[in-house]
mmCIF file of all heavy atoms in Angstrom:
data_model
loop_
_atom_site.group_PDB
_atom_site.id
_atom_site.type_symbol
_atom_site.label_atom_id
_atom_site.label_comp_id
_atom_site.label_asym_id
_atom_site.label_seq_id
_atom_site.Cartn_x
_atom_site.Cartn_y
_atom_site.Cartn_z
ATOM 1 N N VAL A 28 25.771 21.960 -8.755
ATOM 2 C CA VAL A 28 25.769 23.033 -7.783
ATOM 3 C C VAL A 28 27.184 23.546 -7.632
ATOM 4 O O VAL A 28 28.138 22.788 -7.576
ATOM 5 C CB VAL A 28 25.237 22.522 -6.427
ATOM 6 C CG1 VAL A 28 25.288 23.617 -5.397
ATOM 7 C CG2 VAL A 28 23.814 22.009 -6.591
ATOM 8 N N ASN A 29 27.319 24.844 -7.571
ATOM 9 C CA ASN A 29 28.627 25.456 -7.433
ATOM 10 C C ASN A 29 29.068 25.388 -5.979
ATOM 11 O O ASN A 29 28.546 26.086 -5.131
ATOM 12 C CB ASN A 29 28.556 26.917 -7.920
ATOM 13 C CG ASN A 29 29.900 27.610 -7.881
ATOM 14 O OD1 ASN A 29 30.899 27.004 -7.503
ATOM 15 N ND2 ASN A 29 29.922 28.862 -8.308
ATOM 16 N N ASN A 30 30.054 24.538 -5.708
ATOM 17 C CA ASN A 30 30.547 24.373 -4.346
ATOM 18 C C ASN A 30 31.887 25.055 -4.125
ATOM 19 O O ASN A 30 32.591 24.764 -3.155
ATOM 20 C CB ASN A 30 30.700 22.881 -4.026
ATOM 21 C CG ASN A 30 29.355 22.203 -3.957
ATOM 22 O OD1 ASN A 30 28.455 22.724 -3.310
ATOM 23 N ND2 ASN A 30 29.207 21.066 -4.619
ATOM 24 N N GLU A 31 32.293 25.932 -5.031
ATOM 25 C CA GLU A 31 33.577 26.592 -4.882
ATOM 26 C C GLU A 31 33.563 27.554 -3.707
ATOM 27 O O GLU A 31 32.534 28.141 -3.359
ATOM 28 C CB GLU A 31 33.912 27.372 -6.164
ATOM 29 C CG GLU A 31 34.073 26.465 -7.376
ATOM 30 C CD GLU A 31 34.358 27.258 -8.624
ATOM 31 O OE1 GLU A 31 34.355 28.509 -8.501
ATOM 32 O OE2 GLU A 31 34.590 26.664 -9.658
ATOM 33 N N GLU A 32 34.734 27.738 -3.083
ATOM 34 C CA GLU A 32 34.852 28.683 -1.980
ATOM 35 C C GLU A 32 34.704 30.099 -2.502
ATOM 36 O O GLU A 32 35.082 30.401 -3.634
ATOM 37 C CB GLU A 32 36.224 28.527 -1.308
ATOM 38 C CG GLU A 32 36.421 27.185 -0.629
ATOM 39 C CD GLU A 32 35.465 27.003 0.522
ATOM 40 O OE1 GLU A 32 35.111 28.019 1.150
ATOM 41 O OE2 GLU A 32 35.056 25.860 0.781
ATOM 42 N N PRO A 33 34.155 31.032 -1.713
ATOM 43 C CA PRO A 33 34.012 32.411 -2.175
ATOM 44 C C PRO A 33 35.370 33.051 -2.406
ATOM 45 O O PRO A 33 36.349 32.727 -1.740
ATOM 46 C CB PRO A 33 33.266 33.100 -1.024
ATOM 47 C CG PRO A 33 33.475 32.232 0.162
ATOM 48 C CD PRO A 33 33.606 30.845 -0.361
ATOM 49 N N ALA A 34 35.404 33.946 -3.377
ATOM 50 C CA ALA A 34 36.645 34.632 -3.695
ATOM 51 C C ALA A 34 37.050 35.537 -2.542
ATOM 52 O O ALA A 34 36.209 36.001 -1.769
ATOM 53 C CB ALA A 34 36.463 35.459 -4.982
ATOM 54 N N PRO A 35 38.364 35.832 -2.390
ATOM 55 C CA PRO A 35 38.827 36.657 -1.269
ATOM 56 C C PRO A 35 38.135 38.000 -1.184
ATOM 57 O O PRO A 35 37.783 38.463 -0.121
ATOM 58 C CB PRO A 35 40.334 36.796 -1.550
ATOM 59 C CG PRO A 35 40.674 35.601 -2.386
ATOM 60 C CD PRO A 35 39.465 35.309 -3.199
ATOM 61 N N GLU A 36 37.921 38.638 -2.356
ATOM 62 C CA GLU A 36 37.277 39.941 -2.305
ATOM 63 C C GLU A 36 35.843 39.853 -1.824
ATOM 64 O O GLU A 36 35.330 40.765 -1.179
ATOM 65 C CB GLU A 36 37.340 40.641 -3.666
ATOM 66 C CG GLU A 36 36.757 39.854 -4.825
ATOM 67 C CD GLU A 36 37.824 39.021 -5.510
ATOM 68 O OE1 GLU A 36 38.818 38.648 -4.838
ATOM 69 O OE2 GLU A 36 37.674 38.749 -6.725
ATOM 70 N N GLU A 37 35.149 38.695 -2.100
ATOM 71 C CA GLU A 37 33.798 38.521 -1.582
ATOM 72 C C GLU A 37 33.831 38.388 -0.073
ATOM 73 O O GLU A 37 32.977 38.902 0.633
ATOM 74 C CB GLU A 37 33.167 37.284 -2.220
ATOM 75 C CG GLU A 37 32.898 37.456 -3.698
ATOM 76 C CD GLU A 37 32.378 36.178 -4.308
ATOM 77 O OE1 GLU A 37 32.859 35.109 -3.932
ATOM 78 O OE2 GLU A 37 31.486 36.256 -5.165
ATOM 79 N N ASP A 38 34.828 37.692 0.460
ATOM 80 C CA ASP A 38 34.984 37.573 1.897
ATOM 81 C C ASP A 38 35.220 38.939 2.526
ATOM 82 O O ASP A 38 34.693 39.258 3.593
ATOM 83 C CB ASP A 38 36.160 36.652 2.225
ATOM 84 C CG ASP A 38 35.815 35.180 1.985
ATOM 85 O OD1 ASP A 38 34.612 34.858 1.973
ATOM 86 O OD2 ASP A 38 36.751 34.398 1.798
ATOM 87 N N MET A 41 32.042 40.878 2.826
ATOM 88 C CA MET A 41 31.212 40.347 3.895
ATOM 89 C C MET A 41 31.719 40.828 5.246
ATOM 90 O O MET A 41 30.950 41.220 6.108
ATOM 91 C CB MET A 41 31.220 38.820 3.846
ATOM 92 C CG MET A 41 30.295 38.157 4.855
ATOM 93 S SD MET A 41 30.450 36.363 4.796
ATOM 94 C CE MET A 41 30.047 36.066 3.094
ATOM 95 N N ASP A 66 22.792 28.342 -7.197
ATOM 96 C CA ASP A 66 24.206 28.219 -7.491
ATOM 97 C C ASP A 66 25.073 28.934 -6.467
ATOM 98 O O ASP A 66 26.290 28.869 -6.529
ATOM 99 C CB ASP A 66 24.519 28.776 -8.889
ATOM 100 C CG ASP A 66 23.997 27.841 -9.965
ATOM 101 O OD1 ASP A 66 23.891 26.635 -9.678
ATOM 102 O OD2 ASP A 66 23.704 28.309 -11.066
ATOM 103 N N ASN A 67 24.467 29.638 -5.536
ATOM 104 C CA ASN A 67 25.195 30.270 -4.447
ATOM 105 C C ASN A 67 24.765 29.617 -3.136
ATOM 106 O O ASN A 67 24.334 28.473 -3.114
ATOM 107 C CB ASN A 67 24.938 31.782 -4.454
ATOM 108 C CG ASN A 67 25.516 32.440 -5.698
ATOM 109 O OD1 ASN A 67 26.617 32.119 -6.110
ATOM 110 N ND2 ASN A 67 24.758 33.348 -6.295
ATOM 111 N N GLU A 68 24.860 30.335 -2.033
ATOM 112 C CA GLU A 68 24.506 29.751 -0.742
ATOM 113 C C GLU A 68 22.998 29.551 -0.661
ATOM 114 O O GLU A 68 22.223 30.471 -0.868
ATOM 115 C CB GLU A 68 24.966 30.674 0.384
ATOM 116 C CG GLU A 68 24.714 30.091 1.769
ATOM 117 C CD GLU A 68 25.417 28.759 2.009
ATOM 118 O OE1 GLU A 68 26.470 28.542 1.387
ATOM 119 O OE2 GLU A 68 24.920 27.965 2.797
ATOM 120 N N ALA A 136 30.423 14.952 -2.956
ATOM 121 C CA ALA A 136 31.206 16.178 -3.112
ATOM 122 C C ALA A 136 30.727 17.021 -4.284
ATOM 123 O O ALA A 136 30.991 18.229 -4.328
ATOM 124 C CB ALA A 136 32.688 15.828 -3.287
ATOM 125 N N PRO A 140 25.820 20.944 0.299
ATOM 126 C CA PRO A 140 26.197 20.368 1.597
ATOM 127 C C PRO A 140 25.103 19.532 2.242
ATOM 128 O O PRO A 140 25.397 18.635 3.037
ATOM 129 C CB PRO A 140 26.536 21.597 2.444
ATOM 130 C CG PRO A 140 25.859 22.739 1.763
ATOM 131 C CD PRO A 140 25.883 22.415 0.305
#
Side-chain angles (χ1 to χ4, degrees):
V28 178
N29 183 1
N30 292 313
E31 297 178 357
E32 295 296 329
E36 56 268 27
E37 292 176 321
D38 285 339
M41 185 184 302
D66 287 333
N67 294 318
E68 184 59 28

